[in-house]
Amino acid sequence: MKENKKVQLKGQLRLYMQWPAIMALFLVAVNIWIYKLDRRAGTLMFIFLLIYIVMVGILYLYSKSVIMKDLVEFAAQYGIVQNTLLRELSVPYAILLEDGKAIWMNDKFEEIFGRKPKGEAYVSKYIPELNKNIFPKEEDEIVEMDVYYENREYKAVLRRVSVAGFSETEQLMELPEEREYFIAVYLNDVTELNVCKKENEEQRLVAGLIYIDNYDEVINSVEEVRQSLLMALVDRKINQYIARVDGIVKKLENDKYFIAIKKQYFKKLEQDKFSLLEDVKSVNIGNGIPATLSIGLGLSNSAYSQSYNYARVAIDLALARGGDQAVIKDGSGITYYGGKREQTSKNTRVKARVKAEALREFITVKEHILVMGHKLTDVDSFGAAVGIYRAAAALEKKAHIIINEVSASLRPLYEVYANDPAYPEDLFLNSQQAIDMADADTMVVVVDTNRPQMTECEELLRMTRTIVVLDHHRQSSDNIDNALLSYIEPYASSACEMVAEVLQYIVDDIKIPNIEASSLYAGIMIDTNNFMNRTGVRTFEAAAFLRRCGADITLVRKMFRDDMDAYRAKAEIISSAEVYEDKFAIARGTGLAIESPTIIGAQAANELLDISQIKASFVLTEYNGKIYISARSIDEVNVQIIMERLGGGGHMNAAGAQLLDVNMDQAVEKLQGVIHDMVEGGDI
């Protein structure tokens, strides 16, 4: 009996069992009230109440033991049902120890592995990703990951389950107190779901634009009667290429096409690296120059209209980079293909005149004009900045040139201006002085670069709204995108050539002092390696204009002669040159006791091209804790796309890059790896 008294009901069940007794107390109170009103009625009710209390008491005493027995049986059966449901659950489920050993798994989990795991098996033996290194460390932490087993894809979810006090109650297993937890893992087969997602994704349309880069030049290079045949052949090449991937082509203008293809075929175009670019060049019916294409493709996961907008951005970037290439823009970034051919120089200067007029409008309405080039200002950047200063002066506006560090090669030219009383003392400013001067009425002109991080003072680009960019380098994806006026011509030999053209349209009969004309001339001469590289008709026209303005060729030659230490350093770099893969010259400049090793490195790279069989040269120099790479080629190799792989850029024939946190051997190894990969992939 004593043992039975210890067994007590709890919670809502106990309250439910006590309700008849509570009701009896209520009826007693009612019986007393009725007895006072009417003794006969009260006595009669008392008899019935007494019978009710006796029956309730008997039922309570009898039912309690029966209910307790039934509860015990239900609990036992519920545990069996619960265990059966969990074991037969359609979701694969397992319980692991903290080291990844499975101590229990349901039928579906075993079925995945073909009933292979028996006993205390490690799940990581079958799915290596499910190891203890990725197990959740906190109780509320949930780890989700995609795993694969025997050509099936699963979404694995792992949760940490605390079992504090487990060792005290469990007789068969004991866990250390600090490890009283299990790892619950279940797998969701998402193979079919992912297949459907992939099929749906591959059905999405990719918008694209195709432009003929040199339409006017190609048309004018053949007889008039053959022009329609030439364009028909180009049209046929484009239509056949897109038709092979089940796409559509719509001709918008004589030299512009709109295309739409499925994403699944778009991958095929990527794999063959847009062979259409080379196919079109094979069209020859007597045209003096081959036709080249620019392709811009846009892919957005949100809307087709956004894909078209991406395509427009991509085609603009392809044209700005010189054409003859495909540019793909999607939500994750920009990818480039092609670009092996130099853009054809255009003889017309209409664009230069239009840009000059726009520049004049901006200068006339601004109070402060700040001009800056790229870091480690060279002669081309300096000469172009001086040209913009002269344009502002011709419009009776005051301009300032931002230079933070004057290199040894630039110092002779810089000191001419610094020591000339005809120029104001504040002609040259450093970055902090320029920031202090900048206000809402300030205009910033960037020359010889179009990348924000390469400018002398990147902060100015965020402080001012009126920004003008004049550059001859190919655009990259991280270009200055908030410029009100952007004049970028990759075919131009130098920034000084572009500025010299612009100056001719700023004001009529502009007067340029001799030293300024000499500075612009020097920029052209240095960037073209004495008019041997990247020179076109307009290059010589700009040089002729500067000569008429008084450019002193003898002064320029004397000013940029090397001293004996620099000449020896150049010879040392050239003597260290090694030939990689039979056609690439790689030289190193280490421990050079000169002030500007990067300038000497660029000169050495130019001279290495004079060696027969060398298609491209690369000179690596150490300077200020960085490795600078100067890359040069003549016509067969596009060194710009090589340098872009290393985070740099430039021209097809002249480019560079800067490498951080590497030594010389690591930098050379990295460069060789990029060259090898691009040669194997057919990119160069």
Side-chain angles (χ1 to χ4, degrees):
M1 281 299 283
K2 291 182 179 180
E3 290 298 323
N4 289 338
K5 289 181 181 179
K6 292 181 180 179
V7 180
Q8 299 289 335
L9 297 175
K10 298 173 65 177
Q12 293 292 330
L13 183 60
R14 180 180 180 182
L15 181 62
Y16 177 78
M17 294 293 292
Q18 289 176 347
W19 264 111
I22 296 172
M23 190 64 184
L25 292 176
F26 175 73
L27 291 174
V28 168
V30 173
N31 184 230
I32 294 172
W33 178 67
I34 293 176
Y35 185 81
K36 288 181 179 181
L37 296 177
D38 188 337
R39 290 189 176 188
R40 291 181 64 186
T43 302
L44 184 60
M45 183 176 178
F46 174 75
I47 295 172
F48 284 103
L49 178 60
L50 188 62
I51 296 172
Y52 171 77
I53 292 174
V54 171
M55 292 178 63
V56 167
I58 293 172
L59 288 173
Y60 177 77
L61 294 175
Y62 173 78
S63 301
K64 182 177 180 181
S65 60
V66 174
I67 289 174
M68 292 298 298
K69 179 183 177 182
D70 291 343
L71 285 175
V72 171
E73 291 181 0
F74 174 77
Q77 293 175 359
Y78 180 77
I80 296 173
V81 171
Q82 187 179 37
N83 186 56
T84 302
L85 290 175
L86 190 58
R87 177 165 289 280
E88 296 178 357
L89 188 67
S90 60
V91 177
Y93 188 84
I95 297 176
L96 315 179
L97 293 177
E98 51 89 21
D99 61 353
K101 185 182 294 183
I103 59 173
W104 182 89
M105 59 184 68
N106 68 357
D107 295 341
K108 279 292 183 181
F109 202 96
E110 291 181 354
E111 186 180 319
I112 290 176
F113 304 102
R115 306 284 179 179
K116 293 177 183 178
K118 297 295 182 183
E120 297 180 338
Y122 287 93
V123 177
S124 58
K125 177 182 178 181
Y126 304 96
I127 303 179
E129 294 88 350
L130 298 180
N131 56 72
K132 62 181 182 180
N133 295 326
I134 57 93
F135 287 171
K137 302 298 187 293
E138 303 294 336
E139 186 172 346
D140 296 332
E141 183 181 356
I142 298 176
V143 175
E144 296 185 6
M145 60 187 304
D146 295 321
V147 297
Y148 301 87
Y149 182 73
E150 292 189 350
N151 300 322
R152 304 293 292 180
E153 301 177 37
Y154 300 92
K155 173 74 74 174
V157 180
L158 296 92
R159 187 190 301 269
R160 179 168 168 157
V161 180
S162 176
V163 287
F166 177 84
S167 299
E168 297 177 2
T169 58
E170 179 59 44
Q171 298 179 358
L172 300 178
M173 183 183 294
E174 182 176 356
L175 297 174
E177 186 176 348
E178 69 278 5
R179 298 179 183 174
E180 288 190 322
Y181 64 86
F182 294 123
I183 302 298
V185 54
Y186 74 83
L187 303 177
N188 184 21
D189 192 336
V190 294
T191 307
E192 285 75 17
L193 177 62
N194 287 345
V195 168
C196 292
K197 284 183 176 179
K198 184 178 180 181
E199 290 178 353
N200 181 61
E201 185 67 21
E202 288 179 345
Q203 295 299 315
R204 298 187 67 87
L205 291 179
V206 178
L209 293 167
I210 300 177
Y211 287 4
I212 302 176
D213 300 323
N214 51 354
Y215 175 81
D216 292 334
E217 290 77 8
V218 172
I219 285 294
N220 293 332
S221 67
V222 296
E223 301 173 9
E224 187 173 350
V225 293
R226 292 190 175 187
Q227 291 177 356
S228 58
L229 175 60
L230 175 63
M231 291 314 302
L233 292 174
V234 172
D235 289 348
R236 185 168 178 265
K237 287 282 187 183
I238 295 173
N239 280 280
Q240 285 182 337
Y241 184 78
I242 301 302
R244 285 203 300 267
V245 292
D246 197 25
I248 59 174
V249 180
K250 173 66 176 177
K251 191 167 186 177
L252 304 177
E253 298 178 24
N254 289 336
D255 58 344
K256 295 178 176 63
Y257 306 82
F258 172 80
I259 64 173
I261 58 177
K262 292 181 181 178
K263 187 177 179 180
Q264 64 183 104
Y265 299 118
F266 161 73
K267 295 297 182 182
K268 293 183 179 179
L269 300 186
E270 279 190 308
Q271 290 172 1
D272 79 349
K273 297 183 179 178
F274 297 92
S275 58
L276 176 64
L277 297 172
E278 299 300 322
D279 291 344
V280 169
K281 295 176 188 175
S282 65
V283 176
N284 190 339
I285 58 170
N287 43 303
I289 55 177
T292 62
L293 301 180
S294 289
I295 303 175
L297 296 172
L299 177 59
S300 171
N301 293 326
S302 58
Y304 294 126
S305 60
Q306 186 63 42
S307 296
Y308 178 69
N309 291 333
Y310 280 171
R312 294 189 62 180
V313 172
I315 195 68
D316 289 343
L317 189 53
L319 294 171
R321 288 166 53 84
D324 187 30
Q325 59 193 281
V327 177
I328 303 166
K329 178 172 175 55
D330 54 23
S332 59
I334 297 175
T335 309
Y336 306 99
Y337 293 92
K340 298 180 181 180
R341 184 181 179 86
E342 188 64 72
Q343 185 181 23
T344 305
S345 175
K346 294 180 172 58
N347 293 329
T348 176
R349 291 197 288 180
V350 174
K351 190 174 182 179
R353 177 178 57 79
V354 172
K355 299 295 183 180
E357 292 174 354
L359 178 63
R360 181 174 63 240
E361 293 294 329
F362 285 128
I363 292 177
T364 54
V365 298
K366 293 297 178 181
E367 187 65 28
H368 301 116
I369 292 93
L370 300 176
V371 190
M372 63 178 174
H374 52 75
K375 292 183 176 69
L376 292 176
T377 303
D378 59 11
V379 179
D380 184 35
S381 178
F382 182 84
V386 168
I388 299 299
Y389 165 81
R390 177 48 50 192
L395 296 171
E396 300 180 352
K397 293 288 184 177
K398 188 175 182 180
H400 306 272
I401 301 173
I402 304 172
I403 297 181
N404 293 315
E405 182 179 355
V406 181
S407 62
S409 61
L410 183 63
R411 183 170 291 113
L413 186 59
Y414 174 85
E415 289 179 348
V416 170
Y417 290 90
N419 299 328
D420 191 336
Y423 294 96
E425 294 183 1
D426 60 351
L427 172 61
F428 301 111
L429 305 176
N430 58 35
S431 293
Q432 188 56 52
Q433 291 171 328
I435 291 172
D436 294 339
M437 179 181 292
D439 55 24
D441 200 27
T442 298
M443 170 183 175
V444 175
V445 182
V446 179
V447 295
D448 204 28
T449 184
N450 57 67
R451 304 177 69 179
Q453 67 271 24
M454 293 294 293
T455 58
E456 286 279 20
C457 184
E458 185 177 353
E459 188 175 348
L460 277 177
L461 302 177
R462 295 187 290 268
M463 296 176 60
T464 57
R465 289 189 174 185
T466 308
I467 300 173
V468 175
V469 178
L470 292 92
D471 186 28
H472 66 120
H473 296 98
R474 288 186 174 190
Q475 270 189 282
S476 57
S477 54
D478 56 346
N479 59 307
I480 300 173
D481 56 5
N482 59 336
L484 292 183
L485 175 62
S486 183
Y487 183 22
I488 299 176
E489 291 291 2
Y491 65 80
S493 69
S494 58
C496 285
E497 175 191 325
M498 296 173 63
V499 172
E501 289 184 346
V502 168
L503 284 172
Q504 299 176 57
Y505 300 104
I506 289 293
V507 296
D508 295 334
D509 299 324
I510 188 170
K511 304 297 182 183
I512 303 177
N514 294 354
I515 184 59
E516 294 178 20
S518 299
S519 300
L520 287 161
Y521 188 91
I524 298 176
M525 188 186 75
I526 295 296
D527 264 30
T528 59
N529 191 22
N530 294 320
F531 296 94
M532 289 194 297
N533 295 333
R534 297 182 51 76
T535 52
V537 174
R538 292 169 62 178
T539 306
F540 291 104
E541 288 178 351
F545 165 72
L546 296 172
R547 285 285 287 136
R548 288 194 298 270
C549 292
D552 191 338
I553 300 176
T554 304
L555 174 65
V556 170
R557 183 177 180 185
K558 287 182 177 179
M559 196 174 292
F560 295 105
R561 288 185 298 176
D562 296 327
D563 57 26
M564 187 57 70
D565 290 337
Y567 199 84
R568 288 194 178 109
K570 188 192 304 181
E572 183 180 339
I573 292 173
I574 295 173
S575 65
S576 71
E578 299 175 354
V579 179
Y580 180 68
E581 295 201 356
D582 299 328
K583 54 187 176 184
F584 302 104
I586 300 177
R588 312 182 186 203
T590 56
L592 303 177
I594 55 176
E595 188 173 352
S596 298
T598 56
I599 302 298
I600 300 302
Q603 294 174 358
N606 281 325
E607 294 197 15
L608 285 170
L609 291 178
D610 293 334
I611 303 173
S612 62
Q613 307 303 319
I614 296 299
K615 296 184 177 181
S617 62
F618 304 88
V619 175
L620 294 83
T621 54
E622 292 179 334
Y623 184 62
N624 288 343
K626 300 178 183 178
I627 302 295
Y628 288 80
I629 305 178
S630 293
R632 299 290 186 270
S633 68
I634 297 178
D635 61 347
E636 295 182 69
V637 176
N638 185 348
V639 292
Q640 184 214 1
I641 60 177
I642 299 176
M643 292 297 99
E644 283 183 338
R645 294 280 183 98
L646 295 170
H651 282 295
M652 179 176 179
N653 306 121
Q658 301 175 16
L659 302 180
L660 300 174
D661 303 324
V662 294
N663 57 35
M664 182 61 73
D665 291 335
Q666 292 171 334
V668 172
E669 184 178 348
K670 193 172 183 179
L671 173 62
Q672 290 176 341
V674 169
I675 294 173
H676 177 76
D677 291 343
M678 296 185 73
V679 170
E680 289 293 318
D683 296 318
I684 57 175

